[in-house]
Amino acid sequence: MAKTRVHDLAKEFGMTSKEMLGHLADMKIPAKSASSTLEDAYVSMIRKKMAPILEARAAEIEAAKQAEAEEKAKAEAEERARAEEERLEAEKRREAERAKEAEERARLEAERKRKEEEERNRVRDNAPKSVPSMTSLLDQIAQQEQILKAQREEQAAKKAEAAPSRSRRGNQHATAKNAPKDEGPATPEKAATARGRGKRKGHTEDDGEDRYSRMAKAAEEYNRERVLEEARASVEEASRESTGRRKKRKERRQKQAEQAAKEQAIEEAIANDQNVAEIGMVKVPTGSTVAELAELLDVPASDIVKRLFLLGSPLTMTQSMSDDLIELVADDLGREVKVMSREEENSFTFYDDPSDLLPRAPVVTVMGHVDHGKTSLLDAIRHTGVASGEAGGITQAIGASQVKIGDRTITFIDTPGHETFTAMRARGAKVTDIVILIVAADDGVMPQTVESINHAKAAGVPIIVAVNKIDKPGANPDRVRQELTEYGIIPEEWGGQNMFVNISAKKKIGIDELLETVLLQADVLELKANPNTFASGNVLEAKLDRGRGSVATVLVTRGTLHIGDSLVAGMAYGSVRAMLDPKGRPVTEAGPSDPVEILGLQSVPAAGDEFRVFTEAREARALAEQRALKARIEEQNRVKHVTLETLFSTMEDAEVKELNLVIKADVQGSIEALQDSLDKMDQSEVRINTIHSAVGAITETDVTLADASNAIIIGFGVRPDAKARSAAEHQGVEIRCYDVIYKALEDLDAARIGMLKPTEVEVSTGMALVLDTFKVPKVGIAAGVRVEEGEIAATNSVRLVRDGIVVYNGKIASLRHYKEDVKTLRSGLEGGIGLENFQDIKPGDQIEAYRIDEVARTE
């Protein structure tokens, strides 16, 4: 159960820890300091009685929020006004800056024109300029273009100047032509003049030289422009190629990085034996909220809300989504998801290469109705007396064993047959390969037989029917076959798929044939597993042991479990300190289909939890702590909203009656079985609530919780310690301890309907503490004890309790005071006690004496 500290509760009410301690003192609730923890029952009581304080606090908070909202609105209005003023001032500044920039541009333009005019009027040096070595090719090309442009402008100016002179010469020539001819005698001057005139009619030698010069200059300019254009094109092409190469290199590097990440993910998946096809798949828990899905997919939550709105299912951030909606939204986002159930979240998925698989032993579960011979069949197979040590002759917890048949091995899981162990039987079917359904030939199909068939079919495992007790008078195996056909179990000889074997467990008839049938069915299934990897499997049962701590019986389904491996089983983690096989012998490793008992877990796992080995201990611890935190949060929410709040409200309602229970047991399977039976009871008149259940002895904390909740404490295979017993007597809390689940259910049902009519009453007579042990001839190991309470008589029945767990229940073999046999030992005396057929007595054990009184039934 979750607990709350005083200072956390004080924060919730908005007060100091000292004030909260004062309120707790007024309500007479024990709390020493601010760090003291309170049970949930006390917390609910405090919240109920201090509801007015909460309401006043809520009103103050609401008023403060309203004032804060008004202050915030006022501040926002002032901020908007200030922002508007700043905007207007900024606009004015920008107008002034724009005007100043316009003036600056006008000044710069005038300066540029002036410089251009000066440049045109300046005497130019047309000789090629030397280009610095650091000037780029494009700069050189630009400079050459400027030189060509200047030369063209200069030539155009010369042509413009030459045009008026040619016009004047043309006019002079026309005047001379129109003038009257001189008829005088020819003179040398006239001849020279005529020669000069003839030359002007054609082209003079100087004019010819100018023409060729111009042609050479034009050719040079043309070649230079062509070279410049080619150079410019080459530079542009080189630039494009350079940019393209960089882009291609970047894309190539990105592809290489993506490929490397993909290969690394594949290597990690192979190292963890995961399916490569599931790489990149996001695992989403069923019932996830919009915010949780957005976080898992790494997308904005608004995108998911928008898609939900378009799908016609608008949801808020904290509302849960259905599995179909999760898949639709993920598909629209282009993401691949796998919706995980609550059970699948705590399970592991593995992928093995077919070449790594090797044959393994079949795991067989024996199922059937109570008293049809399940334990007797296993006893006949193992040749051991399994049923002799069980209370009432009924299997109380899941066990596992291995049987050698020639050179082959078969692993058997024994599940109880009583209907109250439905959950344990279903769990056994989930971890098995083959189910042996045992049916008594003289009894036929019974309700638990039908349940076993349903569990086996749900698990998808083949069923072999063992028709037992064929040696008894009135046995009719054919009638059993006929009745089973109604449930889809049809014999092979009748054209069905199920194999039937007639056996007698007591007389060991047909046992060999049954085992051969099991091996034949295993050959058909071709059972294989990968033994060369880290181990994984399921927890069959777990318990607390005084000297060894947490002890878990596990079944390895794949890989090999070694001593020293770090593993996680549900919310428990630890390293394998030791391993024992079904016969109690220490082993160093366990392969597929091997059941072993392991030591070293930090806490007790739940029966049915899946375990897995991790290479790093910190990874195992982190996963276990994460699961434990999640379970605590779910438990707090469940108790807060369902159980504890309704507990006190319904107690005040006179029309509704409730029976509250605190259940403590030696193993987790017994708690599940008892809870399952309680859920099946008719709760129309009296509602049964289990407010707390755990593995271990009954403690003083359990008594305190039962007193606050008006509950009854049920102990199954455990006893209360001295402090718990004293507190129960002082507070008037009833503690009932049972060894057989039938009696617990009968008493609870009778108490539920108000018709409890006990015929036998157990009366505690005394309790003794074992101080030491010594060997007594003809008796064996005896206990040297001191009687702490009451009186112990030689005729009393006794229990040997070790660390709150009952390890022996039987009779007294001898009772002595010093060396004399006595009939009784009173409180304060020391003596010796020998127990019948039990030698495992250790110092510190407690011996409880009791007697059974016959009480007449009363209406």
Side-chain angles (χ1 to χ4, degrees), residues 808-832:
Y808 172 79
N809 192 349
K811 298 290 185 178
I812 296 176
S814 63
L815 183 66
R816 291 187 179 186
H817 181 59
Y818 293 103
K819 295 184 179 181
E820 297 179 359
D821 292 333
V822 294
K823 293 183 178 180
T824 61
L825 281 177
R826 293 188 301 275
S827 176
L829 297 179
E830 294 183 356

mmCIF file of all heavy atoms in Angstrom, residues 808-832:
data_model
loop_
_atom_site.group_PDB
_atom_site.id
_atom_site.type_symbol
_atom_site.label_atom_id
_atom_site.label_comp_id
_atom_site.label_asym_id
_atom_site.label_seq_id
_atom_site.Cartn_x
_atom_site.Cartn_y
_atom_site.Cartn_z
ATOM 1 N N TYR A 808 5.625 -26.109 10.479
ATOM 2 C CA TYR A 808 5.207 -27.422 10.988
ATOM 3 C C TYR A 808 3.893 -27.257 11.743
ATOM 4 O O TYR A 808 3.680 -26.281 12.464
ATOM 5 C CB TYR A 808 6.265 -28.020 11.914
ATOM 6 C CG TYR A 808 5.810 -29.289 12.614
ATOM 7 C CD1 TYR A 808 5.817 -30.506 11.956
ATOM 8 C CD2 TYR A 808 5.337 -29.249 13.930
ATOM 9 C CE1 TYR A 808 5.375 -31.660 12.582
ATOM 10 C CE2 TYR A 808 4.905 -30.402 14.562
ATOM 11 C CZ TYR A 808 4.919 -31.604 13.883
ATOM 12 O OH TYR A 808 4.472 -32.743 14.500
ATOM 13 N N ASN A 809 3.030 -28.227 11.557
ATOM 14 C CA ASN A 809 1.754 -28.257 12.269
ATOM 15 C C ASN A 809 1.479 -29.707 12.634
ATOM 16 O O ASN A 809 1.287 -30.543 11.746
ATOM 17 C CB ASN A 809 0.637 -27.688 11.395
ATOM 18 C CG ASN A 809 -0.639 -27.441 12.181
ATOM 19 O OD1 ASN A 809 -0.762 -27.880 13.324
ATOM 20 N ND2 ASN A 809 -1.573 -26.734 11.575
ATOM 21 N N GLY A 810 1.519 -29.999 13.927
ATOM 22 C CA GLY A 810 1.345 -31.400 14.329
ATOM 23 C C GLY A 810 1.199 -31.551 15.832
ATOM 24 O O GLY A 810 0.673 -30.668 16.530
ATOM 25 N N LYS A 811 1.709 -32.687 16.361
ATOM 26 C CA LYS A 811 1.564 -33.053 17.760
ATOM 27 C C LYS A 811 2.894 -32.986 18.488
ATOM 28 O O LYS A 811 3.970 -32.978 17.876
ATOM 29 C CB LYS A 811 0.990 -34.463 17.876
ATOM 30 C CG LYS A 811 -0.410 -34.633 17.286
ATOM 31 C CD LYS A 811 -1.443 -33.901 18.129
ATOM 32 C CE LYS A 811 -2.856 -34.168 17.617
ATOM 33 N NZ LYS A 811 -3.888 -33.497 18.444
ATOM 34 N N ILE A 812 2.801 -32.981 19.857
ATOM 35 C CA ILE A 812 3.985 -32.999 20.701
ATOM 36 C C ILE A 812 4.386 -34.449 20.950
ATOM 37 O O ILE A 812 3.560 -35.265 21.394
ATOM 38 C CB ILE A 812 3.716 -32.272 22.037
ATOM 39 C CG1 ILE A 812 3.421 -30.786 21.779
ATOM 40 C CG2 ILE A 812 4.894 -32.428 22.988
ATOM 41 C CD1 ILE A 812 3.059 -30.014 23.035
ATOM 42 N N ALA A 813 5.653 -34.775 20.669
ATOM 43 C CA ALA A 813 6.141 -36.134 20.908
ATOM 44 C C ALA A 813 6.585 -36.316 22.355
ATOM 45 O O ALA A 813 6.386 -37.388 22.944
ATOM 46 C CB ALA A 813 7.286 -36.457 19.949
ATOM 47 N N SER A 814 7.203 -35.272 22.935
ATOM 48 C CA SER A 814 7.651 -35.367 24.330
ATOM 49 C C SER A 814 7.670 -33.987 24.933
ATOM 50 O O SER A 814 7.951 -33.001 24.248
ATOM 51 C CB SER A 814 9.047 -35.995 24.402
ATOM 52 O OG SER A 814 9.997 -35.166 23.748
ATOM 53 N N LEU A 815 7.360 -33.941 26.263
ATOM 54 C CA LEU A 815 7.345 -32.680 27.000
ATOM 55 C C LEU A 815 8.037 -32.911 28.340
ATOM 56 O O LEU A 815 7.601 -33.746 29.151
ATOM 57 C CB LEU A 815 5.902 -32.208 27.216
ATOM 58 C CG LEU A 815 5.728 -30.857 27.907
ATOM 59 C CD1 LEU A 815 6.274 -29.738 27.037
ATOM 60 C CD2 LEU A 815 4.240 -30.597 28.195
ATOM 61 N N ARG A 816 9.140 -32.205 28.565
ATOM 62 C CA ARG A 816 9.932 -32.429 29.776
ATOM 63 C C ARG A 816 10.243 -31.107 30.464
ATOM 64 O O ARG A 816 10.354 -30.061 29.818
ATOM 65 C CB ARG A 816 11.249 -33.142 29.433
ATOM 66 C CG ARG A 816 11.077 -34.570 28.976
ATOM 67 C CD ARG A 816 12.423 -35.251 28.830
ATOM 68 N NE ARG A 816 12.278 -36.643 28.410
ATOM 69 C CZ ARG A 816 13.294 -37.503 28.323
ATOM 70 N NH1 ARG A 816 14.524 -37.112 28.623
ATOM 71 N NH2 ARG A 816 13.085 -38.744 27.945
ATOM 72 N N HIS A 817 10.356 -31.229 31.792
ATOM 73 C CA HIS A 817 10.877 -30.147 32.626
ATOM 74 C C HIS A 817 12.157 -30.659 33.256
ATOM 75 O O HIS A 817 12.120 -31.520 34.134
ATOM 76 C CB HIS A 817 9.852 -29.745 33.687
ATOM 77 C CG HIS A 817 10.325 -28.611 34.558
ATOM 78 N ND1 HIS A 817 10.680 -27.389 34.053
ATOM 79 C CD2 HIS A 817 10.521 -28.540 35.909
ATOM 80 C CE1 HIS A 817 11.064 -26.596 35.028
ATOM 81 N NE2 HIS A 817 10.979 -27.274 36.187
ATOM 82 N N TYR A 818 13.310 -30.146 32.749
ATOM 83 C CA TYR A 818 14.613 -30.719 33.033
ATOM 84 C C TYR A 818 14.623 -32.165 32.529
ATOM 85 O O TYR A 818 14.438 -32.411 31.344
ATOM 86 C CB TYR A 818 14.969 -30.595 34.513
ATOM 87 C CG TYR A 818 15.164 -29.145 34.926
ATOM 88 C CD1 TYR A 818 14.170 -28.465 35.636
ATOM 89 C CD2 TYR A 818 16.308 -28.456 34.552
ATOM 90 C CE1 TYR A 818 14.332 -27.136 35.980
ATOM 91 C CE2 TYR A 818 16.483 -27.131 34.903
ATOM 92 C CZ TYR A 818 15.491 -26.471 35.606
ATOM 93 O OH TYR A 818 15.657 -25.142 35.933
ATOM 94 N N LYS A 819 14.789 -33.181 33.401
ATOM 95 C CA LYS A 819 14.871 -34.565 32.923
ATOM 96 C C LYS A 819 13.588 -35.348 33.148
ATOM 97 O O LYS A 819 13.531 -36.554 32.890
ATOM 98 C CB LYS A 819 16.035 -35.286 33.614
ATOM 99 C CG LYS A 819 17.403 -34.713 33.261
ATOM 100 C CD LYS A 819 18.510 -35.536 33.895
ATOM 101 C CE LYS A 819 19.881 -34.977 33.514
ATOM 102 N NZ LYS A 819 20.992 -35.784 34.111
ATOM 103 N N GLU A 820 12.568 -34.716 33.675
ATOM 104 C CA GLU A 820 11.332 -35.419 34.010
ATOM 105 C C GLU A 820 10.254 -35.098 32.974
ATOM 106 O O GLU A 820 10.089 -33.942 32.557
ATOM 107 C CB GLU A 820 10.845 -35.001 35.398
ATOM 108 C CG GLU A 820 11.797 -35.371 36.521
ATOM 109 C CD GLU A 820 11.299 -34.914 37.874
ATOM 110 O OE1 GLU A 820 10.215 -34.290 37.917
ATOM 111 O OE2 GLU A 820 11.980 -35.188 38.861
ATOM 112 N N ASP A 821 9.522 -36.150 32.603
ATOM 113 C CA ASP A 821 8.382 -35.942 31.724
ATOM 114 C C ASP A 821 7.260 -35.279 32.511
ATOM 115 O O ASP A 821 6.942 -35.685 33.639
ATOM 116 C CB ASP A 821 7.895 -37.271 31.149
ATOM 117 C CG ASP A 821 8.880 -37.885 30.181
ATOM 118 O OD1 ASP A 821 9.652 -37.104 29.567
ATOM 119 O OD2 ASP A 821 8.892 -39.109 30.035
ATOM 120 N N VAL A 822 6.649 -34.276 31.949
ATOM 121 C CA VAL A 822 5.560 -33.551 32.600
ATOM 122 C C VAL A 822 4.376 -33.480 31.652
ATOM 123 O O VAL A 822 4.492 -33.736 30.444
ATOM 124 C CB VAL A 822 6.011 -32.133 33.003
ATOM 125 C CG1 VAL A 822 7.088 -32.196 34.071
ATOM 126 C CG2 VAL A 822 6.503 -31.348 31.781
ATOM 127 N N LYS A 823 3.232 -33.123 32.217
ATOM 128 C CA LYS A 823 2.025 -33.008 31.420
ATOM 129 C C LYS A 823 1.822 -31.583 30.898
ATOM 130 O O LYS A 823 1.226 -31.397 29.837
ATOM 131 C CB LYS A 823 0.811 -33.433 32.252
ATOM 132 C CG LYS A 823 0.800 -34.915 32.606
ATOM 133 C CD LYS A 823 -0.469 -35.278 33.370
ATOM 134 C CE LYS A 823 -0.496 -36.770 33.685
ATOM 135 N NZ LYS A 823 -1.721 -37.161 34.429
ATOM 136 N N THR A 824 2.325 -30.617 31.672
ATOM 137 C CA THR A 824 2.156 -29.213 31.257
ATOM 138 C C THR A 824 3.396 -28.409 31.608
ATOM 139 O O THR A 824 4.160 -28.784 32.505
ATOM 140 C CB THR A 824 0.936 -28.569 31.942
ATOM 141 O OG1 THR A 824 1.121 -28.590 33.355
ATOM 142 C CG2 THR A 824 -0.356 -29.294 31.567
ATOM 143 N N LEU A 825 3.559 -27.302 30.892
ATOM 144 C CA LEU A 825 4.580 -26.297 31.204
ATOM 145 C C LEU A 825 3.875 -24.957 31.246
ATOM 146 O O LEU A 825 3.236 -24.524 30.275
ATOM 147 C CB LEU A 825 5.690 -26.282 30.133
ATOM 148 C CG LEU A 825 6.760 -27.367 30.187
ATOM 149 C CD1 LEU A 825 7.707 -27.214 29.016
ATOM 150 C CD2 LEU A 825 7.536 -27.284 31.488
ATOM 151 N N ARG A 826 4.024 -24.258 32.420
ATOM 152 C CA ARG A 826 3.365 -22.973 32.591
ATOM 153 C C ARG A 826 4.289 -21.831 32.150
ATOM 154 O O ARG A 826 5.479 -22.025 31.934
ATOM 155 C CB ARG A 826 2.919 -22.794 34.031
ATOM 156 C CG ARG A 826 1.803 -23.750 34.469
ATOM 157 C CD ARG A 826 1.273 -23.375 35.845
ATOM 158 N NE ARG A 826 2.330 -23.398 36.851
ATOM 159 C CZ ARG A 826 2.712 -24.502 37.489
ATOM 160 N NH1 ARG A 826 2.141 -25.661 37.211
ATOM 161 N NH2 ARG A 826 3.656 -24.447 38.404
ATOM 162 N N SER A 827 3.702 -20.642 32.087
ATOM 163 C CA SER A 827 4.446 -19.458 31.658
ATOM 164 C C SER A 827 5.615 -19.197 32.589
ATOM 165 O O SER A 827 5.484 -19.258 33.817
ATOM 166 C CB SER A 827 3.511 -18.246 31.628
ATOM 167 O OG SER A 827 4.223 -17.078 31.299
ATOM 168 N N GLY A 828 6.783 -18.897 32.034
ATOM 169 C CA GLY A 828 7.977 -18.617 32.798
ATOM 170 C C GLY A 828 8.879 -19.805 33.008
ATOM 171 O O GLY A 828 10.040 -19.643 33.409
ATOM 172 N N LEU A 829 8.385 -21.037 32.793
ATOM 173 C CA LEU A 829 9.185 -22.235 32.991
ATOM 174 C C LEU A 829 9.958 -22.565 31.712
ATOM 175 O O LEU A 829 9.555 -22.222 30.600
ATOM 176 C CB LEU A 829 8.298 -23.421 33.383
ATOM 177 C CG LEU A 829 7.539 -23.305 34.716
ATOM 178 C CD1 LEU A 829 6.688 -24.535 34.956
ATOM 179 C CD2 LEU A 829 8.514 -23.083 35.876
ATOM 180 N N GLU A 830 11.068 -23.277 31.925
ATOM 181 C CA GLU A 830 11.861 -23.762 30.810
ATOM 182 C C GLU A 830 11.772 -25.272 30.759
ATOM 183 O O GLU A 830 11.631 -25.944 31.801
ATOM 184 C CB GLU A 830 13.331 -23.334 30.948
ATOM 185 C CG GLU A 830 13.533 -21.843 30.842
ATOM 186 C CD GLU A 830 14.988 -21.441 30.902
ATOM 187 O OE1 GLU A 830 15.837 -22.351 31.098
ATOM 188 O OE2 GLU A 830 15.274 -20.246 30.757
ATOM 189 N N GLY A 831 11.858 -25.813 29.555
ATOM 190 C CA GLY A 831 11.765 -27.258 29.394
ATOM 191 C C GLY A 831 12.171 -27.668 28.003
ATOM 192 O O GLY A 831 12.759 -26.889 27.236
ATOM 193 N N GLY A 832 11.849 -28.914 27.685
ATOM 194 C CA GLY A 832 12.164 -29.442 26.368
ATOM 195 C C GLY A 832 10.921 -29.944 25.672
ATOM 196 O O GLY A 832 10.042 -30.552 26.299
#
